[in-house]
Amino acid sequence: MHLPKPRQVLEQMDFFLNRGTMLKFMGDGTYGKQTNFAACRFKGCIYVRSLWEDHDERYTVPYLAKTYTLKARQYVFTRSPGALPNTDAPVDERKQVYGMFSAKLGSFRLLYSAEVSGVSNKEPLGDLNDPEVLKKCQLASLRVDKVSRRNNSAPLWLMQSYLAGIDQLAIANSNERGLVCRPIEVVSCAKVMSQESQFNIHDRLQKLHKILEEISLKMGNKDNPHQELRFNMRKDSILFENRLTSIEPPGNFDQQFIDFINHL
């Protein structure tokens, strides 16, 4: 809504979704759990979202281990180059930065959101509202990992990094008490990906494209922000409902957004 030519951007996109949904379509390791989704078409673009259930983890009491990565970021990322980290600040899980990314996958043009930890630039970037300045951002991320689990979880963080265009990843290896007792290692995601003999990013992208293709076929030409197609996934199986479901207000979109798009 803040872009100078929003209509031009929307007309160029076939899907809008987030990185978490894309990871599930690519196979993020949660094979034993059924995940529910919904898709709707509005002005030619298909929006895909996860359906949260009442028993979802967002409604449970937070546990300490979930804060380790967010706390570690305070030691690694600073507000500006050369500044000291603010390690005394309390952890607030609500404070997260998201970026918007676009990509071409086969016949589909994608617009998606993904969490961004920070950048590895060593010089100030200037006005981040300037698209040319944003292109200079060298995105970086941090991962807190137990030494015993690192190899098992490699494909997931590699896919996360790939989808967000992240190359530099800082890895902090922690013990059972959550303590990082040795220097943080910075690795190149592209180099690690080339060394992973049991992981092929192209196979995962083909899975993603196949599912998006199925969604597109099932949606047909139904273009209504107040109706959605629901489906669920378990392992590599996907099951669609037979009809579109009407959504109770406020639905998937803020009315201001619907009015804005209709005006375009």
Side-chain angles (χ1 to χ4, degrees), residues 142-159:
L142 178 140
R143 176 175 181 79
V144 176
D145 223 343
K146 291 183 180 179
V147 179
S148 59
R149 298 182 183 178
R150 180 171 171 183
N151 292 333
N152 294 334
S153 58
L156 177 57
W157 64 255
L158 281 175
M159 289 191 293

Side-chain angles (χ1 to χ4, degrees), residues 163-181:
L163 293 176
I166 294 171
D167 183 58
Q168 297 295 314
L169 181 74
I171 300 179
N173 291 298
S174 67
N175 58 23
E176 294 297 328
R177 298 170 58 194
L179 299 176
V180 177
C181 302

Side-chain angles (χ1 to χ4, degrees), residues 79-92:
R79 297 289 297 176
S80 60
L84 293 175
N86 183 11
T87 58
D88 294 330
V91 170
D92 187 347

Side-chain angles (χ1 to χ4, degrees), residues 50-210:
S50 298
L51 294 177
W52 300 102
E53 305 295 341
D54 290 339
H55 61 270
D56 187 82
E57 63 179 8
R58 296 190 304 171
Y59 298 91
T60 60
V61 177
Y63 55 93
L64 186 61
K66 284 190 65 177
T67 68
Y68 290 167
T69 299
L70 296 177
K71 190 63 183 178
R73 288 179 186 173
Q74 294 180 355
Y75 284 82
V76 175
F77 294 103
T78 62
R79 297 289 297 176
S80 60
L84 293 175
N86 183 11
T87 58
D88 294 330
V91 170
D92 187 347
E93 293 186 71
R94 298 169 299 176
K95 288 186 177 181
Q96 297 187 24
V97 178
Y98 288 86
M100 298 299 302
F101 301 85
S102 61
K104 183 84 184 297
L105 180 63
S107 57
F108 298 122
R109 296 158 299 180
L110 313 180
L111 184 68
Y112 57 96
S113 61
E115 183 190 354
V116 177
S117 299
V119 299
S120 60
N121 298 68
K122 294 177 180 166
E123 300 294 333
L125 290 168
D127 183 9
L128 293 179
N129 292 316
D130 185 344
E132 294 304 315
V133 174
L134 283 176
K135 291 178 182 178
K136 299 177 183 178
C137 287
Q138 300 172 14
L139 298 184
S141 187
L142 178 140
R143 176 175 181 79
V144 176
D145 223 343
K146 291 183 180 179
V147 179
S148 59
R149 298 182 183 178
R150 180 171 171 183
N151 292 333
N152 294 334
S153 58
L156 177 57
W157 64 255
L158 281 175
M159 289 191 293
Q160 289 176 331
S161 301
Y162 182 88
L163 293 176
I166 294 171
D167 183 58
Q168 297 295 314
L169 181 74
I171 300 179
N173 291 298
S174 67
N175 58 23
E176 294 297 328
R177 298 170 58 194
L179 299 176
V180 177
C181 302
R182 62 188 192 188
I184 293 175
E185 178 187 7
V186 178
V187 300
S188 165
C189 296
K191 184 176 180 179
V192 174
M193 194 174 294
S194 65
Q195 296 172 344
E196 282 284 335
S197 59
Q198 297 180 346
F199 171 71
N200 188 326
I201 188 65
H202 300 292
D203 292 342
R204 304 299 182 108
L205 292 174
Q206 285 181 348
K207 290 179 63 175
L208 171 61
H209 186 272
K210 181 180 179 182

